[in-house]
Amino acid sequence: MKLRSLFRLAAVSLLLALAACASTPRVSSQADPTGEFSRYRSFSFYTPLALEQNGYTTITSNRIRDAVRTQMLARGYVYDEANPDLWINLNAYLQDKTRVTSMPEVDYDYYYSYRARGYVAVPYWRDRTDVRQYTEGTLNVDVIDARQKRLVWEGVAVGTVGQAKPERRAQQIDTAVAAIFDQYPYRAGGLAR
């Protein structure tokens, strides 16, 4: 139970953090080339969502779910909880990262030269090393063929996460989910955009 609680806390923290990204996340996707996108017309959310393994929703998971629903409806799909063609599953995780960069710098020391009878600037080189610790968040949107129980499309957003006010966090969630679905090439009935 402790491991499950830690996973849930990490997932919720990731979502909060991903929503607070200062920069646009990197987005990638892949589609199953044998997916039967021409027959998909409806969707529902997989139960339980990977984000909600403890059996309840959170404010952030609800916001992500609403953003995904908006994107699917905009593509002509109908929400059908009883008999969907597609299931949508959402997952997220956090990973602590360290970035180390090194850059050469030049500086000068001044020495008194008895021969030159004055001070002489002597250059010397050194490396400046910067260490930056940050948290990287990943949000996955899986689209699953409900009949075949097979993943047919996956969109992933990866970005640096941080703190944000609730209004800004909601906007960032909507932006990240929209960026993921910008790579979803299908509309209901399999029509390509």
XYZ file of all heavy atoms in Angstrom, residues 46-106:
495
model
N -10.416 4.703 -19.820
C -10.097 3.410 -19.230
C -10.292 3.486 -17.722
O -10.034 4.511 -17.107
C -8.641 3.047 -19.562
C -8.258 1.659 -19.157
C -8.621 0.579 -19.941
C -7.544 1.427 -17.996
C -8.269 -0.710 -19.583
C -7.190 0.149 -17.622
C -7.555 -0.916 -18.424
O -7.216 -2.175 -18.059
N -10.763 2.388 -17.127
C -10.994 2.357 -15.684
C -10.182 1.234 -15.063
O -10.294 0.099 -15.513
C -12.485 2.137 -15.386
O -13.234 3.148 -16.043
C -12.762 2.194 -13.914
N -9.401 1.542 -14.025
C -9.064 2.867 -13.518
C -7.950 3.477 -14.359
O -7.107 2.762 -14.904
C -8.565 2.600 -12.094
C -7.930 1.253 -12.187
C -8.756 0.491 -13.208
N -7.960 4.791 -14.454
C -6.866 5.474 -15.134
C -5.575 5.197 -14.372
O -5.588 5.055 -13.149
C -7.097 6.983 -15.166
C -8.129 7.513 -16.149
C -8.296 9.017 -15.968
C -7.756 7.192 -17.572
N -4.476 5.142 -15.077
C -3.182 4.937 -14.422
C -2.920 6.034 -13.394
O -2.231 5.805 -12.403
C -2.071 4.890 -15.456
N -3.496 7.222 -13.609
C -3.329 8.339 -12.666
C -4.149 8.172 -11.400
O -3.901 8.859 -10.415
C -3.771 9.652 -13.318
C -2.943 10.165 -14.464
C -3.590 11.400 -15.061
C -1.544 10.484 -13.986
N -5.144 7.300 -11.444
C -6.102 7.199 -10.340
C -6.146 5.789 -9.771
O -7.210 5.248 -9.505
C -7.480 7.629 -10.835
C -7.488 9.047 -11.346
C -8.754 9.418 -12.090
O -9.562 8.529 -12.421
O -8.926 10.614 -12.341
N -4.991 5.203 -9.537
C -4.940 3.822 -9.082
C -5.423 3.615 -7.657
O -5.692 2.503 -7.248
C -3.521 3.279 -9.237
C -3.149 3.081 -10.683
C -1.858 2.323 -10.836
O -1.274 1.863 -9.888
N -1.413 2.197 -12.065
N -5.539 4.694 -6.883
C -6.040 4.555 -5.514
C -7.555 4.656 -5.445
O -8.123 4.681 -4.362
C -5.396 5.591 -4.593
C -3.961 5.235 -4.275
O -3.571 4.069 -4.370
N -3.172 6.209 -3.900
N -8.209 4.767 -6.594
C -9.658 4.709 -6.616
C -10.383 6.032 -6.529
O -11.601 6.052 -6.396
N -9.673 7.147 -6.580
C -10.371 8.432 -6.573
C -9.653 9.412 -7.496
O -8.493 9.254 -7.826
C -10.488 9.008 -5.156
C -9.179 9.250 -4.461
C -8.516 10.474 -4.596
C -8.598 8.271 -3.674
C -7.313 10.697 -3.956
C -7.395 8.496 -3.028
C -6.755 9.707 -3.176
O -5.567 9.921 -2.553
N -10.411 10.427 -7.913
C -9.871 11.426 -8.818
C -9.291 12.590 -8.021
O -9.572 12.742 -6.837
C -10.963 11.966 -9.761
O -11.931 12.651 -8.973
C -11.619 10.849 -10.552
N -8.494 13.387 -8.715
C -7.944 14.598 -8.109
C -8.344 15.777 -8.988
O -8.826 15.597 -10.106
C -6.409 14.540 -8.019
O -5.878 14.528 -9.350
C -5.947 13.306 -7.256
N -8.126 16.970 -8.493
C -8.422 18.166 -9.282
C -7.611 18.148 -10.574
O -8.126 18.435 -11.651
C -8.137 19.436 -8.454
C -9.113 19.506 -7.269
C -8.203 20.683 -9.305
C -8.763 20.535 -6.221
N -6.351 17.771 -10.458
C -5.482 17.748 -11.640
C -5.881 16.647 -12.611
O -5.935 16.874 -13.816
C -4.012 17.582 -11.207
O -3.678 18.656 -10.332
C -3.086 17.606 -12.402
N -6.164 15.452 -12.112
C -6.548 14.375 -13.023
C -7.867 14.695 -13.720
O -8.048 14.378 -14.900
C -6.608 13.022 -12.307
O -7.654 12.969 -11.373
N -8.788 15.347 -13.010
C -10.040 15.777 -13.645
C -9.777 16.808 -14.739
O -10.414 16.779 -15.796
C -11.018 16.339 -12.609
C -11.686 15.254 -11.811
O -11.826 14.123 -12.272
N -12.097 15.583 -10.600
N -8.862 17.732 -14.487
C -8.545 18.769 -15.477
C -7.935 18.132 -16.718
O -8.268 18.498 -17.850
C -7.581 19.806 -14.865
C -7.248 20.937 -15.792
C -8.502 21.746 -16.105
N -8.236 22.765 -17.087
C -8.863 23.919 -17.110
N -9.786 24.204 -16.226
N -8.582 24.792 -18.037
N -7.046 17.181 -16.540
C -6.429 16.499 -17.682
C -7.484 15.711 -18.446
O -7.533 15.748 -19.679
C -5.280 15.591 -17.228
C -4.136 16.452 -16.684
C -4.784 14.709 -18.370
C -3.050 15.666 -16.007
N -8.335 15.007 -17.720
C -9.414 14.242 -18.357
C -10.314 15.173 -19.179
O -10.666 14.861 -20.319
C -10.234 13.522 -17.281
C -11.309 12.624 -17.848
C -12.259 12.154 -16.754
N -11.597 11.561 -15.639
C -11.650 10.263 -15.346
N -12.342 9.444 -16.109
N -11.038 9.796 -14.281
N -10.687 16.326 -18.628
C -11.530 17.282 -19.352
C -10.828 17.815 -20.602
O -11.454 17.984 -21.648
C -11.930 18.449 -18.450
C -12.922 18.034 -17.363
O -13.524 16.941 -17.471
O -13.075 18.814 -16.398
N -9.523 18.077 -20.485
C -8.769 18.571 -21.642
C -8.712 17.515 -22.747
O -8.860 17.829 -23.934
C -7.359 18.980 -21.220
N -8.518 16.251 -22.366
C -8.499 15.163 -23.357
C -9.874 14.994 -23.988
O -10.004 14.841 -25.212
C -8.006 13.850 -22.714
C -8.234 12.666 -23.639
C -6.531 13.960 -22.331
N -10.925 15.047 -23.166
C -12.294 14.933 -23.696
C -12.561 16.042 -24.721
O -13.112 15.790 -25.795
C -13.319 15.010 -22.565
C -14.755 14.823 -23.054
C -15.774 15.105 -21.969
N -15.450 14.498 -20.707
C -16.132 13.486 -20.157
N -17.178 12.990 -20.769
N -15.776 13.001 -18.991
N -12.151 17.266 -24.413
C -12.330 18.398 -25.328
C -11.623 18.135 -26.661
O -12.188 18.379 -27.733
C -11.789 19.692 -24.689
O -12.547 19.964 -23.510
C -11.874 20.865 -25.641
N -10.414 17.603 -26.597
C -9.658 17.331 -27.821
C -10.306 16.216 -28.650
O -10.371 16.314 -29.876
C -8.205 16.950 -27.476
C -7.389 18.084 -26.899
C -7.194 19.215 -27.881
O -7.005 19.011 -29.076
N -7.253 20.438 -27.371
N -10.781 15.182 -28.001
C -11.427 14.084 -28.734
C -12.755 14.539 -29.352
O -13.050 14.209 -30.510
C -11.650 12.875 -27.813
C -10.369 12.165 -27.401
S -9.470 11.412 -28.787
C -10.486 9.968 -29.100
N -13.538 15.299 -28.608
C -14.804 15.808 -29.153
C -14.543 16.733 -30.343
O -15.285 16.707 -31.338
C -15.610 16.533 -28.073
C -16.156 15.657 -26.936
C -16.775 16.522 -25.842
C -17.138 14.624 -27.450
N -13.486 17.531 -30.271
C -13.137 18.438 -31.366
C -12.753 17.668 -32.626
O -12.841 18.200 -33.739
C -11.994 19.357 -30.954
N -12.350 16.431 -32.479
C -11.983 15.597 -33.620
C -13.153 14.726 -34.087
O -12.970 13.816 -34.879
C -10.766 14.743 -33.266
C -9.509 15.585 -33.290
C -8.370 15.002 -32.512
N -7.203 15.868 -32.634
C -7.054 17.036 -32.013
N -8.009 17.477 -31.239
N -5.980 17.779 -32.177
N -14.343 15.009 -33.589
C -15.547 14.340 -34.077
C -15.920 13.062 -33.354
O -16.901 12.408 -33.718
N -15.194 12.678 -32.317
C -15.534 11.466 -31.573
C -16.671 11.765 -30.599
O -16.836 12.891 -30.137
C -14.318 10.941 -30.799
C -13.235 10.423 -31.709
C -12.193 11.248 -32.107
C -13.256 9.113 -32.172
C -11.194 10.793 -32.946
C -12.257 8.642 -33.007
C -11.235 9.486 -33.400
O -10.258 9.026 -34.231
N -17.438 10.744 -30.281
C -18.562 10.848 -29.362
C -18.181 10.112 -28.082
O -17.631 9.008 -28.132
C -19.833 10.214 -29.979
C -20.987 10.215 -28.991
C -20.204 10.914 -31.265
N -18.495 10.723 -26.930
C -18.214 10.064 -25.655
C -19.294 9.018 -25.408
O -20.480 9.323 -25.402
C -18.184 11.083 -24.514
C -17.810 10.453 -23.198
C -16.488 10.138 -22.926
C -18.776 10.159 -22.244
C -16.123 9.543 -21.731
C -18.421 9.566 -21.041
C -17.101 9.257 -20.789
O -16.752 8.675 -19.613
N -18.889 7.749 -25.237
C -19.815 6.642 -25.022
C -19.219 5.735 -23.953
O -18.376 4.896 -24.247
C -20.029 5.873 -26.329
C -20.998 4.713 -26.188
O -21.504 4.459 -25.072
O -21.243 4.039 -27.204
N -19.676 5.923 -22.733
C -19.113 5.157 -21.622
C -19.492 3.684 -21.696
O -18.741 2.819 -21.255
C -19.582 5.763 -20.302
C -18.725 5.356 -19.134
C -18.988 6.200 -17.915
O -19.142 7.418 -18.038
O -19.050 5.607 -16.825
N -20.657 3.358 -22.270
C -21.149 1.985 -22.281
C -20.457 1.102 -23.323
O -20.139 -0.056 -23.032
C -22.655 1.985 -22.524
N -20.231 1.621 -24.520
C -19.692 0.781 -25.594
C -18.752 1.591 -26.490
O -19.046 1.811 -27.666
C -20.859 0.200 -26.408
C -20.387 -0.869 -27.366
O -19.358 -1.492 -27.168
N -21.146 -1.069 -28.436
N -17.605 2.009 -25.978
C -16.713 2.846 -26.785
C -15.876 2.020 -27.771
O -15.584 0.850 -27.529
C -15.803 3.481 -25.728
C -15.715 2.438 -24.669
C -17.086 1.809 -24.622
N -15.510 2.661 -28.869
C -14.552 2.046 -29.798
C -13.131 2.189 -29.263
O -12.284 1.333 -29.502
C -14.625 2.733 -31.176
C -15.979 2.566 -31.830
O -16.598 1.494 -31.673
O -16.416 3.524 -32.494
N -12.871 3.296 -28.557
C -11.548 3.591 -28.033
C -11.599 3.842 -26.532
O -12.538 4.468 -26.043
C -10.969 4.845 -28.711
C -10.741 4.781 -30.208
C -10.415 6.168 -30.746
C -9.633 3.801 -30.534
N -10.582 3.364 -25.840
C -10.370 3.737 -24.447
C -9.213 4.712 -24.417
O -8.244 4.573 -25.163
C -9.968 2.540 -23.598
C -11.068 1.605 -23.220
C -12.369 1.910 -22.956
C -10.937 0.198 -23.053
N -13.055 0.774 -22.627
C -12.200 -0.297 -22.679
C -9.892 -0.697 -23.180
C -12.428 -1.637 -22.423
C -10.110 -2.029 -22.931
C -11.381 -2.496 -22.555
N -9.292 5.670 -23.532
C -8.198 6.620 -23.318
C -7.635 6.356 -21.921
O -8.394 6.337 -20.952
C -8.676 8.086 -23.397
C -9.471 8.358 -24.673
C -7.500 9.037 -23.218
C -8.668 8.299 -25.940
N -6.339 6.145 -21.829
C -5.694 5.992 -20.531
C -4.649 7.088 -20.385
O -4.011 7.484 -21.369
C -5.049 4.617 -20.388
C -4.739 4.274 -18.941
O -5.039 5.040 -18.018
N -4.131 3.116 -18.723
N -4.495 7.583 -19.168
C -3.564 8.675 -18.880
C -2.583 8.206 -17.814
O -2.981 7.594 -16.826
C -4.327 9.897 -18.365
C -5.445 10.395 -19.270
C -6.276 11.444 -18.551
C -4.877 10.949 -20.554
N -1.314 8.509 -18.022
C -0.290 8.145 -17.056
C 0.708 9.284 -16.950
O 0.883 10.052 -17.900
C 0.419 6.860 -17.479
C 1.241 6.270 -16.355
O 1.140 6.688 -15.204
N 2.057 5.285 -16.671
N 1.368 9.381 -15.813
C 2.351 10.441 -15.608
C 3.377 9.987 -14.580
O 3.085 9.151 -13.732
C 1.656 11.709 -15.122
N 4.569 10.530 -14.696
C 5.583 10.275 -13.678
C 6.604 11.401 -13.658
O 6.723 12.170 -14.596
C 6.262 8.916 -13.860
C 6.977 8.723 -15.167
C 8.331 9.022 -15.299
C 6.313 8.238 -16.283
C 8.995 8.850 -16.499
C 6.967 8.062 -17.486
C 8.302 8.358 -17.580
O 8.959 8.191 -18.777
N 7.316 11.475 -12.539
C 8.346 12.486 -12.326
C 9.707 11.816 -12.242
O 9.815 10.689 -11.768
C 8.108 13.234 -11.003
C 6.866 14.074 -10.895
C 6.682 14.566 -9.470
C 6.953 15.253 -11.835
N 10.724 12.543 -12.658
C 12.080 12.035 -12.543
C 13.008 13.199 -12.212
O 13.002 14.220 -12.905
C 12.501 11.372 -13.858
C 13.819 10.669 -13.785
C 14.119 9.914 -15.071
O 13.546 10.180 -16.125
N 15.018 8.969 -14.986
N 13.765 13.054 -11.126
C 14.744 14.080 -10.769
C 15.937 13.962 -11.701
O 16.424 12.861 -11.974
C 15.203 13.920 -9.316
C 14.110 14.267 -8.327
O 13.276 15.128 -8.663
O 14.089 13.687 -7.229
N 16.404 15.099 -12.195
C 17.516 15.128 -13.147
C 18.571 16.105 -12.660
O 18.276 17.039 -11.916
C 17.029 15.592 -14.519
C 15.990 14.711 -15.159
C 16.656 13.754 -16.064
C 15.610 12.987 -16.863
N 16.216 12.274 -17.940
N 19.776 15.905 -13.134
C 20.880 16.817 -12.870
C 21.537 17.131 -14.197
O 21.871 16.222 -14.960
C 21.907 16.185 -11.914
O 21.250 15.830 -10.699
C 23.040 17.147 -11.615
N 21.715 18.409 -14.467
C 22.391 18.835 -15.699
C 23.698 19.511 -15.295
O 23.706 20.456 -14.519
C 21.521 19.802 -16.483
C 22.218 20.310 -17.751
C 21.313 21.154 -18.599
N 20.260 20.288 -19.125
C 19.028 20.696 -19.386
N 18.694 21.937 -19.177
N 18.137 19.876 -19.864
N 24.801 19.001 -15.844
C 26.121 19.555 -15.561
C 26.671 20.111 -16.867
O 26.734 19.404 -17.869
C 27.076 18.476 -15.001
C 28.451 19.062 -14.738
C 26.501 17.863 -13.736
N 27.035 21.390 -16.849
C 27.651 22.003 -18.029
C 28.977 22.618 -17.617
O 29.139 23.112 -16.512
C 26.748 23.102 -18.635
O 26.456 24.071 -17.630
C 25.462 22.528 -19.183
N 29.908 22.547 -18.539
C 31.228 23.097 -18.288
C 31.588 24.004 -19.449
O 31.387 23.652 -20.612
C 32.241 21.952 -18.167
O 33.482 22.450 -17.769
N 32.120 25.185 -19.112
C 32.453 26.159 -20.143
C 33.804 26.791 -19.795
O 34.028 27.197 -18.657
C 31.383 27.246 -20.206
C 31.683 28.331 -21.204
S 30.360 29.541 -21.268
C 29.153 28.624 -22.181
N 34.694 26.886 -20.776
C 35.981 27.521 -20.495
C 35.814 29.032 -20.318
O 35.000 29.661 -20.990
C 36.825 27.194 -21.724
C 35.856 26.876 -22.796
C 34.617 26.371 -22.133
N 36.582 29.580 -19.398
C 36.587 31.015 -19.148
C 38.030 31.500 -19.098
O 38.932 30.749 -18.743
C 35.951 31.343 -17.794
C 34.490 31.130 -17.709
C 33.953 31.565 -16.349
O 34.659 31.433 -15.346
O 32.809 32.030 -16.323
N 38.212 32.738 -19.467
C 39.540 33.345 -19.350
C 39.469 34.422 -18.275
O 38.463 35.106 -18.124
C 40.034 33.932 -20.697
C 39.180 35.098 -21.128
C 41.490 34.318 -20.613
